[in-house]
Amino acid sequence: MAEPSLAVGADARETLKVLALQGALVDRAHVTCSGLAERLDVSTQTASRRLQELEDADLVEREILADGQFVRATDEGERVLEREYADYRRLFETDRSVSLTGTVTSGMGEGRHYISLPGYMRQFEEKLGYEPFRGTLNVELDRDSTRARAGMDALDPVRIDGWEDEDRTYGPAFCWPATVEADGTTYGRAHVIAPERTHHGQDKVELVAPDRLRDQLGLADGDRLTVRVEEDG
């Protein structure tokens, strides 16, 4: 399973959840340390410390007032809660897949370069069962799918190990089997690929496949599609 990029302790996750239930996920929530302490069943001092720690970790933004404070979860804080949600999906839901919708967009050309590197290509052939087309299909996700993407953390991926050559070290990546559907046509032998350290935000995914997906599905920039991501095996 892909390791989360954010290492957040149980106390921080619990506090974030309580703040989100008070409205801090969608807007600024008015919070007092005494009220938060009561909900968490901790001392007022502990509640105050936890708020400070969340702010220091860039998981919440705060505005101090005379009668309390406004608190809102940051994008990083929202990602922590999304991963928590993904874990509970893994425990209680039997459908081990995530459906994502979005539009085709042009990438920066990095995918073509990295996929063609021999240290990755050997593993693609061995672990994915094919030699990928030298390029990726870039998809910009809609808002709901940007949130749903966190569910991929509950799906076991194919791990592509890091490697090095004489010039530099290349990091690992994770691949999830995926089916792509566009305008009634389905392509079933693709993978979503996510480098351990990526320049893309959570609102984008990249796909690899043995064929050029734009040609197979007749895609152009701006076309809508659905990606159904599944678990390896």
Side-chain angles (χ1 to χ4, degrees):
M1 182 176 173
E3 299 90 350
S5 60
L6 296 172
V8 178
D11 287 347
R13 294 196 302 271
E14 179 188 20
T15 306
L16 268 175
K17 182 180 72 174
V18 169
L19 292 170
L21 290 171
Q22 290 184 254
L25 192 60
V26 295
D27 202 349
R28 297 192 305 168
H30 184 265
V31 175
T32 64
C33 288
S34 59
L36 181 61
E38 183 176 351
R39 288 178 173 85
L40 292 171
D41 194 24
V42 297
S43 69
T44 302
Q45 292 78 8
T46 296
S48 177
R49 174 176 52 78
R50 288 193 189 180
L51 284 169
Q52 184 63 58
E53 290 174 349
L54 290 175
E55 184 179 36
D56 291 344
D58 194 31
L59 300 179
V60 301
E61 296 173 345
R62 297 195 294 163
E63 179 185 349
I64 306 301
L65 308 170
D67 61 344
Q69 52 195 287
F70 282 129
V71 180
R72 182 167 187 169
T74 64
D75 290 344
E76 296 294 280
E78 184 172 347
R79 287 173 61 194
V80 170
L81 292 171
E82 287 171 345
R83 287 190 171 91
E84 189 82 348
Y85 169 69
D87 285 342
Y88 281 105
R89 280 197 61 192
R90 187 179 179 86
L91 288 173
F92 295 111
E93 295 185 11
T94 58
D95 183 9
R96 305 304 293 273
S97 65
V98 176
S99 290
L100 307 173
T101 58
T103 56
V104 177
T105 184
S106 295
M108 297 181 290
E110 293 181 340
R112 177 184 299 273
H113 168 67
Y114 283 103
I115 285 173
S116 64
L117 293 173
Y120 289 131
M121 188 60 73
R122 285 193 298 270
Q123 295 185 71
F124 290 143
E125 293 185 57
E126 175 187 350
K127 298 179 179 182
L128 304 186
Y130 60 81
E131 179 180 308
F133 170 78
R134 285 165 170 75
T136 61
L137 181 69
N138 294 267
V139 179
E140 185 169 348
L141 302 176
D142 60 29
R143 182 173 178 81
D144 287 343
S145 291
T146 298
R147 290 179 179 271
R149 178 183 171 159
M152 288 172 53
D153 287 339
L155 305 177
D156 289 330
V158 179
R159 181 181 174 89
I160 305 299
D161 296 324
W163 57 283
E164 59 183 46
D165 59 18
E166 295 178 354
D167 299 320
R168 56 169 290 185
T169 298
Y170 297 90
F174 302 105
C175 295
W176 290 263
T179 299
V180 187
E181 182 176 345
D183 197 24
T185 302
T186 300
Y187 186 97
R189 204 183 176 196
H191 285 80
V192 171
I193 184 169
E196 187 177 54
R197 298 181 185 277
T198 178
H199 296 298
H200 285 199
Q202 293 295 300
D203 61 343
K204 295 181 177 65
V205 293
E206 290 183 86
L207 292 116
V208 296
D211 305 294
R212 188 173 188 263
L213 289 172
R214 284 178 179 261
D215 293 340
Q216 292 294 314
L217 295 168
L219 296 170
D221 283 1
D223 287 346
R224 289 190 62 77
L225 50 72
T226 298
V227 181
R228 185 176 179 86
V229 188
E230 300 177 346
E231 189 168 52
D232 180 39

